[in-house]
Amino acid sequence: MALPAFSDRNGPIRCCQIIVIAMDEGESLADLETRVGGPDVMLTDDAPDEGKTEPYVAVALSGEEYKSMGEVPIGDEAPCDHECCQQKEVTVDDHEWNPGNRELRPGQMYTG
């Protein structure tokens, strides 16, 4: 997955999480945002129910690591053991926090 550039104009970025979401067949990005919430609310208590549980953190990087990489592999089943992987905003008791670069299913559409 190619990484877009970001600005440090408001201060240095400490952590960057690459969040992956499986898309339903025929689902548009607008439909996806309705189902799981926008980037600013998914994986938080303010997200719709599916937005609290379905997206997952595949990779996490420090701001410096992010800047030095042009792309990251997605779906290589590598664990996400960077300290930034452990940061979560969801406080739902039954939500299992399981970051990691999960294997991608053939034929499944994803966005990140």
Side-chain angles (χ1 to χ4, degrees):
M1 176 178 160
L3 299 175
F6 66 82
S7 169
D8 284 331
R9 74 175 173 270
N10 293 324
I13 304 296
R14 192 174 75 78
C15 287
C16 179
Q17 296 177 331
I18 310 300
I19 298 171
V20 175
I21 310 157
M23 297 180 71
D24 292 339
E25 188 173 334
E27 186 172 44
S28 69
L29 290 176
D31 295 337
L32 181 69
E33 187 167 331
T34 299
R35 183 168 61 87
V36 300
D40 58 332
V41 299
M42 70 177 62
L43 294 178
T44 72
D45 288 336
D46 295 331
D49 286 343
E50 288 185 55
K52 294 175 186 167
T53 59
E54 189 175 323
Y56 64 93
V57 177
V59 179
L61 307 163
S62 70
E64 290 305 311
E65 289 169 323
Y66 184 97
K67 286 180 182 179
S68 69
M69 301 178 80
E71 57 184 52
V72 294
I74 299 296
D76 67 1
E77 299 185 76
C80 189
D81 50 12
H82 192 282
E83 67 177 303
C84 295
C85 281
Q86 302 313 313
Q87 293 184 345
K88 67 177 189 170
E89 301 294 326
V90 177
T91 60
V92 178
D93 291 337
D94 62 350
H95 175 65
E96 179 183 351
W97 187 250
N98 189 21
N101 208 344
R102 301 175 190 166
E103 181 180 12
L104 302 178
R105 295 183 304 269
Q108 174 71 56
M109 295 286 293
Y110 295 87
T111 188

